[in-house]
Amino acid sequence: MDEIDIDARVTGERTVIDVTGTRDVAVVVRSASGERIYLPPAGFDDPVSDSPYTSPYQGGSGIDGEESPYGGGSGSTRGVIETADGFRITHPETATEFDVYRGDDE
């Protein structure tokens, strides 16, 4: 299995979770309003480098969701933004807990 990295930043207003190394995971975030499941961007199994819509020069969200010219994101689906080597989740509340579920490599 390949190594993946999960980086989470929790503030009083939101939670930002970066997943790198794969797009083959689902993330369940729990917060005051309940539970929300975030799935990888559509077409997550397509190689990123073969996509005509992904460019390292496209803007995307930077640290804590601020705009950055280096994001490389190609679009968003309900709080999920594709990145060059994974994806970013922006949850609109402070998370109390989150779980990551990885797909089978079989």
Coordinates of all heavy atoms in Angstrom, one line a residue:
M1 N 0.8 -1.2 0.0 CA 0.0 0.0 0.0 C 0.9 1.2 0.0 O 1.9 1.3 0.7 CB -0.9 0.0 1.2 CG -2.0 -1.0 1.2 SD -3.1 -0.6 2.6 CE -4.6 -0.9 1.8
D2 N 0.4 2.2 -0.7 CA 1.1 3.5 -0.8 C 0.8 4.3 0.5 O -0.2 4.2 1.1 CB 0.7 4.3 -2.0 CG 1.2 3.6 -3.3 OD1 2.2 3.0 -3.3 OD2 0.5 3.8 -4.3
E3 N 1.8 5.2 0.8 CA 1.6 6.0 2.0 C 0.7 7.2 1.6 O 0.8 7.8 0.6 CB 2.9 6.6 2.4 CG 2.9 7.4 3.7 CD 4.3 7.8 4.2 OE1 5.2 6.9 4.2 OE2 4.4 9.0 4.5
I4 N -0.2 7.6 2.6 CA -1.0 8.8 2.4 C -0.8 9.7 3.6 O -0.4 9.2 4.7 CB -2.5 8.4 2.2 CG1 -3.1 7.8 3.5 CG2 -2.8 7.6 1.0 CD1 -4.6 7.7 3.5
D5 N -1.0 10.9 3.4 CA -0.9 11.9 4.5 C -2.3 12.6 4.7 O -2.9 13.0 3.7 CB 0.1 13.0 4.1 CG 1.6 12.4 4.2 OD1 1.9 11.7 5.1 OD2 2.3 12.7 3.2
I6 N -2.6 12.8 5.9 CA -3.8 13.6 6.3 C -3.4 14.7 7.1 O -2.7 14.6 8.1 CB -4.8 12.7 7.1 CG1 -5.1 11.4 6.4 CG2 -6.1 13.5 7.4 CD1 -5.8 11.4 5.1
D7 N -3.8 16.0 6.7 CA -3.4 17.1 7.5 C -4.8 17.9 7.8 O -5.5 18.2 6.9 CB -2.5 18.1 6.7 CG -2.2 19.3 7.5 OD1 -1.8 19.2 8.7 OD2 -2.2 20.4 6.9
A8 N -5.1 18.1 9.1 CA -6.3 18.7 9.5 C -6.0 20.0 10.3 O -5.1 20.0 11.1 CB -7.1 17.8 10.4
R9 N -6.8 21.0 9.9 CA -6.7 22.3 10.6 C -8.1 22.6 11.1 O -9.0 22.8 10.3 CB -6.2 23.4 9.7 CG -4.7 23.1 9.4 CD -4.2 24.0 8.3 NE -4.9 24.1 7.0 CZ -4.9 23.2 6.1 NH1 -4.3 22.0 6.3 NH2 -5.5 23.4 5.0
V10 N -8.3 22.8 12.4 CA -9.6 23.0 13.0 C -9.6 24.4 13.6 O -8.8 24.7 14.4 CB -10.0 21.9 14.0 CG1 -11.4 22.2 14.6 CG2 -9.9 20.5 13.4
T11 N -10.6 25.2 13.2 CA -10.7 26.6 13.8 C -12.1 26.7 14.4 O -12.9 25.7 14.4 CB -10.5 27.7 12.7 OG1 -11.6 27.7 11.8 CG2 -9.2 27.5 12.0
G12 N -12.4 27.8 14.9 CA -13.7 28.1 15.5 C -14.8 28.1 14.5 O -16.0 28.0 14.9
E13 N -14.5 28.3 13.2 CA -15.5 28.5 12.2 C -15.6 27.3 11.2 O -16.6 27.1 10.6 CB -15.3 29.7 11.4 CG -15.5 31.0 12.1 CD -14.2 31.5 12.7 OE1 -13.1 31.3 12.1 OE2 -14.2 32.1 13.8
R14 N -14.5 26.6 11.0 CA -14.5 25.5 10.0 C -13.3 24.5 10.3 O -12.5 24.7 11.1 CB -14.3 26.1 8.6 CG -13.0 26.8 8.4 CD -12.9 27.3 7.0 NE -11.9 28.3 6.9 CZ -11.8 29.2 6.0 NH1 -12.6 29.2 5.0 NH2 -10.8 30.1 6.0
T15 N -13.4 23.5 9.5 CA -12.3 22.4 9.5 C -11.9 22.2 8.1 O -12.7 22.1 7.1 CB -12.9 21.1 10.0 OG1 -13.4 21.4 11.4 CG2 -11.8 20.0 10.1
V16 N -10.5 22.2 7.8 CA -10.0 22.0 6.5 C -9.1 20.7 6.7 O -8.2 20.6 7.5 CB -9.1 23.2 6.0 CG1 -8.5 22.8 4.7 CG2 -10.0 24.4 6.0
I17 N -9.4 19.7 5.8 CA -8.6 18.4 5.8 C -8.0 18.2 4.5 O -8.7 18.2 3.5 CB -9.5 17.3 6.2 CG1 -10.2 17.5 7.6 CG2 -8.8 15.9 6.1 CD1 -11.3 16.5 7.9
D18 N -6.7 18.1 4.4 CA -6.0 17.8 3.2 C -5.6 16.4 3.1 O -5.0 15.9 4.1 CB -4.7 18.7 3.0 CG -5.0 20.1 2.8 OD1 -5.9 20.4 1.9 OD2 -4.4 21.0 3.4
V19 N -5.9 15.7 2.1 CA -5.5 14.3 1.8 C -4.6 14.3 0.7 O -4.9 14.8 -0.4 CB -6.8 13.4 1.5 CG1 -6.4 12.0 1.2 CG2 -7.8 13.5 2.6
T20 N -3.4 13.7 0.9 CA -2.4 13.7 -0.2 C -1.9 12.2 -0.3 O -1.9 11.5 0.6 CB -1.2 14.6 0.0 OG1 -0.6 14.3 1.3 CG2 -1.6 16.1 0.0
G21 N -1.5 11.9 -1.5 CA -0.9 10.5 -1.8 C -2.0 9.6 -2.4 O -1.6 8.6 -3.0
T22 N -3.2 9.9 -2.4 CA -4.3 9.1 -2.9 C -5.6 9.9 -3.0 O -5.7 10.9 -2.4 CB -4.6 7.8 -2.1 OG1 -5.5 7.0 -2.8 CG2 -5.1 8.2 -0.7
R23 N -6.5 9.4 -3.8 CA -7.8 10.0 -3.9 C -8.8 8.9 -3.5 O -10.0 9.0 -3.6 CB -8.2 10.6 -5.2 CG -7.4 11.8 -5.5 CD -7.9 12.6 -6.7 NE -7.0 13.7 -6.9 CZ -6.3 13.9 -8.0 NH1 -6.3 13.0 -9.0 NH2 -5.5 14.9 -8.1
D24 N -8.3 7.7 -3.1 CA -9.1 6.5 -2.9 C -9.5 6.4 -1.4 O -9.2 5.4 -0.8 CB -8.4 5.3 -3.4 CG -9.3 4.1 -3.5 OD1 -10.5 4.3 -3.3 OD2 -8.8 3.0 -3.6
V25 N -10.0 7.5 -0.8 CA -10.5 7.5 0.6 C -11.8 8.3 0.7 O -12.1 9.1 -0.1 CB -9.4 8.1 1.6 CG1 -8.1 7.3 1.6 CG2 -9.2 9.5 1.3
A26 N -12.5 7.9 1.7 CA -13.7 8.7 2.1 C -13.4 9.2 3.5 O -12.8 8.6 4.3 CB -15.0 7.8 2.1
V27 N -14.0 10.4 3.8 CA -13.7 11.0 5.1 C -15.1 11.3 5.8 O -16.0 11.9 5.1 CB -12.9 12.3 5.0 CG1 -12.7 12.9 6.4 CG2 -11.6 12.0 4.4
V28 N -15.3 10.9 7.0 CA -16.5 11.2 7.7 C -16.1 12.2 8.8 O -15.3 12.0 9.6 CB -17.1 9.9 8.4 CG1 -18.3 10.2 9.2 CG2 -17.4 8.9 7.3
V29 N -16.8 13.4 8.8 CA -16.5 14.4 9.7 C -17.7 14.6 10.6 O -18.9 14.7 10.2 CB -16.3 15.8 9.0 CG1 -16.0 16.9 10.0 CG2 -15.1 15.6 8.1
R30 N -17.5 14.6 11.9 CA -18.5 14.8 12.9 C -18.4 16.2 13.6 O -17.3 16.6 13.9 CB -18.5 13.7 14.0 CG -18.9 12.4 13.5 CD -18.7 11.3 14.5 NE -18.8 10.0 13.8 CZ -17.8 9.4 13.1 NH1 -16.7 10.0 13.0 NH2 -18.0 8.2 12.6
S31 N -19.5 16.9 13.7 CA -19.5 18.3 14.3 C -20.8 18.5 15.0 O -21.6 17.6 15.1 CB -19.2 19.3 13.2 OG -20.2 19.3 12.2
A32 N -21.0 19.7 15.5 CA -22.2 20.0 16.3 C -23.5 19.7 15.6 O -24.5 19.2 16.2 CB -22.2 21.5 16.7
S33 N -23.5 19.9 14.3 CA -24.8 19.6 13.5 C -25.0 18.2 13.1 O -26.0 17.8 12.5 CB -24.9 20.5 12.3 OG -23.9 20.2 11.4
G34 N -24.0 17.3 13.3 CA -24.1 15.9 13.0 C -22.9 15.4 12.2 O -21.8 15.9 12.4
E35 N -23.2 14.5 11.3 CA -22.1 13.8 10.6 C -22.3 14.0 9.1 O -23.4 14.1 8.6 CB -22.3 12.3 10.9 CG -21.3 11.4 10.2 CD -21.5 9.9 10.6 OE1 -21.0 9.5 11.7 OE2 -22.2 9.2 9.9
R36 N -21.1 14.2 8.4 CA -21.1 14.4 7.0 C -20.1 13.6 6.4 O -18.9 13.5 6.9 CB -20.9 15.9 6.6 CG -21.1 16.2 5.2 CD -21.2 17.6 4.9 NE -21.3 17.9 3.5 CZ -21.3 19.0 3.0 NH1 -21.3 20.1 3.7 NH2 -21.4 19.2 1.7
I37 N -20.4 12.9 5.3 CA -19.5 12.0 4.5 C -19.0 12.8 3.3 O -19.8 13.3 2.5 CB -20.2 10.7 4.1 CG1 -20.7 10.0 5.4 CG2 -19.2 9.8 3.3 CD1 -21.5 8.8 5.1
Y38 N -17.7 12.8 3.2 CA -17.0 13.4 2.0 C -16.4 12.3 1.2 O -15.6 11.6 1.7 CB -16.0 14.4 2.4 CG -16.6 15.6 3.1 CD1 -16.7 15.7 4.5 CD2 -17.0 16.7 2.4 CE1 -17.2 16.8 5.1 CE2 -17.5 17.9 3.0 CZ -17.6 17.9 4.4 OH -18.1 19.0 5.0
L39 N -16.8 12.3 -0.1 CA -16.2 11.3 -1.0 C -15.2 12.0 -1.9 O -15.2 13.2 -2.1 CB -17.3 10.7 -1.9 CG -18.4 9.9 -1.1 CD1 -19.5 9.5 -2.0 CD2 -17.8 8.8 -0.3
P40 N -14.3 11.2 -2.5 CA -13.3 11.8 -3.4 C -13.9 12.5 -4.6 O -15.1 12.2 -4.9 CB -12.4 10.6 -3.8 CG -12.8 9.5 -3.0 CD -14.1 9.8 -2.4
P41 N -13.2 13.4 -5.2 CA -13.8 14.0 -6.4 C -14.1 13.0 -7.5 O -13.5 11.9 -7.5 CB -12.6 14.9 -6.9 CG -11.7 15.1 -5.7 CD -11.9 13.9 -4.9
A42 N -15.1 13.3 -8.3 CA -15.5 12.4 -9.4 C -14.3 12.1 -10.3 O -13.5 13.0 -10.6 CB -16.6 13.0 -10.2
G43 N -14.2 10.9 -10.7 CA -13.1 10.5 -11.6 C -11.7 10.4 -10.8 O -10.7 10.6 -11.4
F44 N -11.8 10.2 -9.5 CA -10.6 10.2 -8.7 C -9.6 9.1 -9.2 O -8.4 9.3 -8.9 CB -10.9 9.9 -7.2 CG -11.3 8.5 -6.9 CD1 -10.4 7.5 -6.6 CD2 -12.6 8.2 -6.9 CE1 -10.8 6.2 -6.3 CE2 -13.0 6.9 -6.6 CZ -12.1 5.9 -6.3
D45 N -10.0 8.1 -9.8 CA -9.1 7.1 -10.3 C -8.4 7.4 -11.6 O -7.5 6.7 -12.0 CB -9.7 5.7 -10.4 CG -11.0 5.7 -11.2 OD1 -11.4 6.8 -11.7 OD2 -11.6 4.6 -11.4
D46 N -8.8 8.5 -12.2 CA -8.1 9.0 -13.5 C -6.8 9.6 -13.1 O -6.7 10.4 -12.1 CB -8.9 10.0 -14.2 CG -10.3 9.4 -14.7 OD1 -10.4 8.2 -14.8 OD2 -11.2 10.2 -14.9
P47 N -5.7 9.4 -13.8 CA -4.4 10.0 -13.5 C -4.6 11.5 -13.6 O -5.1 12.0 -14.6 CB -3.5 9.5 -14.5 CG -4.1 8.3 -15.1 CD -5.6 8.4 -14.9
V48 N -4.1 12.2 -12.6 CA -4.2 13.7 -12.6 C -3.5 14.3 -13.7 O -4.0 15.3 -14.4 CB -3.7 14.3 -11.2 CG1 -3.8 15.8 -11.2 CG2 -4.6 13.7 -10.1
S49 N -2.3 13.8 -14.0 CA -1.5 14.4 -15.1 C -2.1 14.3 -16.5 O -1.8 15.1 -17.3 CB -0.1 13.8 -15.1 OG -0.2 12.4 -15.3
D50 N -3.1 13.4 -16.6 CA -3.7 13.2 -17.9 C -4.9 14.1 -18.1 O -5.5 14.2 -19.2 CB -4.1 11.8 -18.1 CG -2.9 10.9 -18.3 OD1 -1.8 11.4 -18.6 OD2 -3.1 9.6 -18.2
S51 N -5.3 14.8 -17.1 CA -6.5 15.7 -17.1 C -6.2 17.0 -17.8 O -5.3 17.7 -17.4 CB -7.0 15.9 -15.7 OG -8.1 16.8 -15.8
P52 N -6.9 17.4 -18.8 CA -6.7 18.7 -19.4 C -7.2 19.8 -18.6 O -6.9 21.0 -18.9 CB -7.5 18.6 -20.7 CG -8.6 17.7 -20.4 CD -8.0 16.6 -19.4
Y53 N -7.9 19.6 -17.5 CA -8.5 20.6 -16.6 C -7.6 20.9 -15.4 O -8.0 21.8 -14.7 CB -9.9 20.2 -16.2 CG -10.7 19.9 -17.4 CD1 -11.1 18.6 -17.7 CD2 -11.1 20.9 -18.3 CE1 -11.9 18.3 -18.8 CE2 -11.9 20.6 -19.4 CZ -12.3 19.3 -19.6 OH -13.0 19.1 -20.7
T54 N -6.6 20.2 -15.1 CA -5.8 20.4 -13.9 C -4.5 21.1 -14.3 O -3.7 20.6 -15.2 CB -5.5 19.1 -13.2 OG1 -6.8 18.5 -12.8 CG2 -4.7 19.3 -11.9
S55 N -4.2 22.2 -13.7 CA -2.9 22.9 -14.0 C -2.4 23.4 -12.7 O -3.1 23.9 -11.8 CB -3.2 24.1 -14.9 OG -2.1 25.0 -14.9
P56 N -1.0 23.4 -12.5 CA -0.5 23.9 -11.3 C -0.6 25.4 -11.2 O -0.3 26.0 -10.2 CB 1.0 23.5 -11.4 CG 1.2 23.3 -12.8 CD -0.1 22.8 -13.4
Y57 N -1.1 26.1 -12.3 CA -1.2 27.5 -12.3 C -2.6 28.0 -12.0 O -2.9 29.2 -12.0 CB -0.7 28.1 -13.6 CG 0.7 27.7 -13.9 CD1 1.0 26.7 -14.8 CD2 1.7 28.2 -13.1 CE1 2.3 26.3 -15.0 CE2 3.1 27.8 -13.3 CZ 3.4 26.9 -14.2 OH 4.6 26.5 -14.4
Q58 N -3.6 27.1 -11.9 CA -4.9 27.4 -11.5 C -5.0 27.8 -10.1 O -4.3 27.2 -9.2 CB -5.9 26.3 -11.8 CG -6.1 26.0 -13.3 CD -7.0 24.9 -13.5 OE1 -6.8 23.8 -12.9 NE2 -7.9 25.0 -14.4
G59 N -5.8 28.8 -9.7 CA -6.0 29.2 -8.3 C -6.7 28.1 -7.6 O -7.4 27.3 -8.1
G60 N -6.5 28.1 -6.3 CA -7.2 27.2 -5.4 C -7.1 27.7 -4.0 O -6.6 28.8 -3.8
S61 N -7.6 26.9 -3.1 CA -7.6 27.4 -1.7 C -6.3 27.1 -1.1 O -5.7 26.1 -1.2 CB -8.7 26.6 -0.9 OG -10.0 27.0 -1.4
G62 N -5.8 28.1 -0.4 CA -4.5 28.0 0.3 C -4.8 27.5 1.7 O -5.8 26.9 2.1
I63 N -3.8 27.8 2.6 CA -4.0 27.4 4.0 C -5.2 28.1 4.6 O -5.5 29.2 4.4 CB -2.7 27.8 4.8 CG1 -1.5 27.0 4.2 CG2 -2.9 27.6 6.3 CD1 -0.3 27.0 4.9
D64 N -6.0 27.3 5.4 CA -7.2 27.7 6.0 C -8.2 28.2 5.0 O -9.0 29.1 5.4 CB -6.9 28.7 7.1 CG -6.1 28.1 8.3 OD1 -6.3 26.9 8.5 OD2 -5.4 28.9 8.9
G65 N -8.2 27.7 3.8 CA -9.2 28.1 2.8 C -9.0 29.4 2.1 O -9.8 29.8 1.3
E66 N -7.9 30.1 2.4 CA -7.6 31.4 1.8 C -7.2 31.1 0.3 O -6.6 30.1 0.0 CB -6.5 32.1 2.5 CG -6.8 32.5 3.9 CD -8.0 33.4 4.1 OE1 -8.1 34.3 3.3 OE2 -8.8 33.2 5.0
E67 N -7.5 32.1 -0.6 CA -7.1 31.9 -2.0 C -5.6 31.9 -2.1 O -4.8 32.6 -1.5 CB -7.7 33.1 -2.8 CG -9.1 33.0 -3.0 CD -9.6 31.8 -3.8 OE1 -8.9 31.5 -4.8 OE2 -10.5 31.1 -3.4
S68 N -5.2 31.0 -3.0 CA -3.7 30.8 -3.3 C -3.6 30.6 -4.8 O -4.3 29.9 -5.4 CB -3.2 29.6 -2.6 OG -1.9 29.3 -3.1
P69 N -2.5 31.2 -5.4 CA -2.3 31.0 -6.9 C -1.7 29.6 -7.2 O -1.5 29.3 -8.3 CB -1.3 32.1 -7.2 CG -0.6 32.4 -6.0 CD -1.6 32.2 -4.9
Y70 N -1.4 28.8 -6.2 CA -0.7 27.6 -6.4 C -1.6 26.3 -6.1 O -1.1 25.2 -5.9 CB 0.5 27.5 -5.5 CG 1.4 28.7 -5.7 CD1 1.5 29.6 -4.7 CD2 2.1 28.8 -6.8 CE1 2.3 30.7 -4.9 CE2 2.9 29.9 -7.0 CZ 3.0 30.9 -6.1 OH 3.8 32.0 -6.3
G71 N -2.9 26.5 -6.0 CA -3.8 25.4 -5.6 C -3.9 24.3 -6.5 O -3.8 23.1 -6.1
G72 N -4.0 24.5 -7.8 CA -4.1 23.5 -8.8 C -5.5 22.8 -8.8 O -5.6 21.7 -9.4
G73 N -6.4 23.3 -8.1 CA -7.8 22.6 -8.0 C -8.5 22.9 -9.3 O -8.4 23.9 -9.9
S74 N -9.3 21.9 -9.7 CA -10.1 22.1 -10.9 C -11.6 22.2 -10.7 O -12.3 22.4 -11.6 CB -9.8 20.9 -11.8 OG -10.3 19.7 -11.2
G75 N -12.0 22.1 -9.4 CA -13.4 22.3 -9.2 C -13.8 21.8 -7.8 O -13.0 21.2 -7.1
S76 N -15.0 22.0 -7.4 CA -15.4 21.7 -6.1 C -16.8 20.9 -6.2 O -17.6 21.3 -7.0 CB -15.6 22.9 -5.2 OG -16.1 22.6 -4.0
T77 N -16.9 19.9 -5.3 CA -18.2 19.2 -5.2 C -18.5 19.1 -3.7 O -17.9 18.4 -3.0 CB -18.1 17.8 -5.8 OG1 -17.7 17.9 -7.1 CG2 -19.4 17.1 -5.7
R78 N -19.4 20.0 -3.2 CA -19.9 20.0 -1.8 C -18.8 19.9 -0.8 O -18.7 19.0 0.0 CB -20.9 18.8 -1.6 CG -22.1 19.0 -2.4 CD -23.2 18.1 -2.0 NE -23.5 18.4 -0.6 CZ -24.4 17.8 0.1 NH1 -25.0 16.7 -0.4 NH2 -24.6 18.1 1.4
G79 N -17.9 20.9 -0.9 CA -16.8 20.9 0.1 C -15.5 20.2 -0.2 O -14.6 20.1 0.6
V80 N -15.5 19.5 -1.4 CA -14.3 18.8 -1.8 C -13.7 19.4 -3.0 O -14.3 19.7 -4.0 CB -14.7 17.3 -2.2 CG1 -13.4 16.5 -2.6 CG2 -15.3 16.6 -1.0
I81 N -12.4 19.7 -2.9 CA -11.6 20.4 -4.0 C -10.5 19.4 -4.4 O -9.7 19.0 -3.6 CB -11.1 21.7 -3.6 CG1 -12.2 22.7 -3.2 CG2 -10.2 22.3 -4.7 CD1 -11.7 24.0 -2.6
E82 N -10.4 19.1 -5.7 CA -9.3 18.3 -6.2 C -8.0 19.1 -6.1 O -7.9 20.2 -6.4 CB -9.6 17.9 -7.6 CG -8.6 17.0 -8.3 CD -8.9 16.6 -9.7 OE1 -10.0 17.0 -10.2 OE2 -8.1 16.0 -10.3
T83 N -6.9 18.4 -5.7 CA -5.6 19.0 -5.7 C -4.7 18.1 -6.6 O -5.1 17.0 -7.0 CB -5.0 19.1 -4.3 OG1 -4.8 17.8 -3.7 CG2 -5.9 20.0 -3.4
A84 N -3.4 18.5 -6.8 CA -2.5 17.8 -7.7 C -2.3 16.4 -7.2 O -2.1 15.5 -8.1 CB -1.2 18.6 -7.8
D85 N -2.2 16.1 -5.9 CA -1.9 14.8 -5.5 C -2.9 14.3 -4.4 O -2.6 13.4 -3.6 CB -0.5 14.7 -4.9 CG -0.2 15.7 -3.8 OD1 -1.1 16.5 -3.5 OD2 0.8 15.6 -3.2
G86 N -4.1 14.7 -4.5 CA -5.2 14.3 -3.5 C -6.4 15.2 -3.6 O -6.8 15.6 -4.7
F87 N -6.9 15.6 -2.4 CA -8.0 16.5 -2.4 C -8.1 17.2 -1.1 O -7.5 16.8 -0.1 CB -9.3 15.8 -2.7 CG -9.7 14.7 -1.8 CD1 -10.6 14.9 -0.8 CD2 -9.2 13.4 -2.1 CE1 -11.0 13.8 0.0 CE2 -9.6 12.3 -1.2 CZ -10.5 12.6 -0.2
R88 N -8.8 18.3 -1.0 CA -9.0 19.1 0.2 C -10.5 19.2 0.5 O -11.4 19.4 -0.4 CB -8.5 20.5 0.0 CG -9.0 21.5 1.1 CD -8.3 22.8 1.0 NE -6.9 22.6 1.3 CZ -6.0 23.5 0.9 NH1 -6.2 24.5 0.2 NH2 -4.7 23.2 1.3
I89 N -10.8 19.0 1.8 CA -12.2 19.0 2.3 C -12.3 20.3 3.1 O -11.4 20.6 4.0 CB -12.5 17.8 3.2 CG1 -12.5 16.5 2.3 CG2 -13.9 18.0 3.9 CD1 -12.5 15.3 3.1
T90 N -13.3 21.1 2.9 CA -13.6 22.3 3.7 C -15.0 22.0 4.4 O -16.0 22.1 3.7 CB -13.6 23.6 2.9 OG1 -12.3 23.7 2.3 CG2 -13.8 24.8 3.8
H91 N -15.0 21.8 5.7 CA -16.2 21.5 6.4 C -16.6 22.8 7.1 O -15.7 23.4 7.7 CB -16.0 20.4 7.4 CG -17.2 20.0 8.2 ND1 -18.2 19.2 7.6 CD2 -17.6 20.2 9.5 CE1 -19.1 19.0 8.5 NE2 -18.8 19.6 9.6
P92 N -17.9 23.2 7.0 CA -18.2 24.6 7.5 C -18.3 24.7 9.0 O -18.8 25.8 9.5 CB -19.6 24.8 6.8 CG -20.1 23.5 6.7 CD -19.0 22.6 6.4
E93 N -17.9 23.8 9.8 CA -18.0 23.8 11.3 C -16.7 23.3 11.9 O -15.9 22.6 11.2 CB -19.2 23.0 11.8 CG -20.5 23.5 11.4 CD -21.6 22.6 12.0 OE1 -21.7 21.4 11.5 OE2 -22.2 23.0 13.0
T94 N -16.6 23.5 13.2 CA -15.5 22.9 13.9 C -15.8 21.4 14.1 O -16.8 21.0 14.6 CB -15.4 23.5 15.3 OG1 -15.2 24.9 15.2 CG2 -14.3 22.9 16.2
A95 N -14.8 20.6 13.6 CA -15.0 19.1 13.8 C -14.7 18.7 15.2 O -13.8 19.2 15.8 CB -14.1 18.4 12.8
T96 N -15.5 17.8 15.7 CA -15.2 17.1 17.0 C -14.5 15.8 16.8 O -13.8 15.4 17.7 CB -16.5 16.9 17.8 OG1 -17.4 16.1 16.9 CG2 -17.2 18.2 18.1
E97 N -14.6 15.2 15.6 CA -14.0 14.0 15.3 C -14.1 13.7 13.8 O -15.0 14.2 13.1 CB -14.8 12.9 16.0 CG -14.2 11.5 15.8 CD -15.1 10.4 16.5 OE1 -15.9 10.8 17.3 OE2 -14.9 9.2 16.3
F98 N -13.1 13.0 13.2 CA -13.2 12.6 11.8 C -12.5 11.3 11.6 O -11.6 10.9 12.3 CB -12.7 13.6 10.8 CG -11.2 13.8 10.8 CD1 -10.4 13.1 9.9 CD2 -10.5 14.7 11.6 CE1 -9.0 13.2 9.8 CE2 -9.2 14.9 11.5 CZ -8.4 14.1 10.7
D99 N -13.0 10.5 10.7 CA -12.5 9.2 10.4 C -12.2 9.1 8.9 O -12.9 9.7 8.1 CB -13.5 8.0 10.7 CG -13.8 7.9 12.2 OD1 -12.8 7.7 12.9 OD2 -15.0 8.0 12.5
V100 N -11.1 8.4 8.5 CA -10.7 8.2 7.1 C -10.9 6.7 6.8 O -10.4 5.9 7.5 CB -9.3 8.7 6.9 CG1 -8.8 8.5 5.5 CG2 -9.1 10.2 7.3
Y101 N -11.6 6.5 5.7 CA -11.8 5.1 5.2 C -11.1 4.9 3.9 O -11.4 5.6 2.9 CB -13.3 4.8 5.1 CG -13.9 4.8 6.4 CD1 -14.6 6.0 6.9 CD2 -13.9 3.7 7.3 CE1 -15.2 6.1 8.1 CE2 -14.5 3.8 8.5 CZ -15.1 5.0 8.9 OH -15.7 5.0 10.2
R102 N -10.2 4.0 3.8 CA -9.4 3.8 2.6 C -9.9 2.6 1.8 O -10.3 1.6 2.4 CB -7.9 3.5 3.0 CG -6.9 3.4 1.9 CD -5.5 3.3 2.4 NE -4.6 3.5 1.3 CZ -3.3 3.6 1.5 NH1 -2.8 3.6 2.7 NH2 -2.5 3.7 0.5
G103 N -9.9 2.7 0.5 CA -10.4 1.7 -0.4 C -9.4 0.5 -0.4 O -8.2 0.6 -0.1
D104 N -9.9 -0.7 -0.8 CA -9.1 -1.9 -1.0 C -8.2 -1.8 -2.2 O -8.6 -1.3 -3.2 CB -10.0 -3.1 -1.2 CG -10.0 -3.9 0.1 OD1 -9.2 -3.7 1.0 OD2 -11.0 -4.7 0.2
D105 N -7.0 -2.2 -2.1 CA -6.0 -2.2 -3.3 C -6.1 -3.5 -4.0 O -5.2 -3.8 -4.8 CB -4.6 -1.9 -2.8 CG -4.4 -0.4 -2.6 OD1 -5.2 0.4 -2.9 OD2 -3.3 -0.1 -2.0
E106 N -7.0 -4.3 -3.8 CA -7.1 -5.7 -4.4 C -7.5 -5.5 -5.9 O -8.3 -4.8 -6.3 CB -8.0 -6.6 -3.7 CG -7.4 -6.9 -2.3 CD -8.3 -7.9 -1.5 OE1 -9.0 -8.7 -2.1 OE2 -8.2 -7.8 -0.3

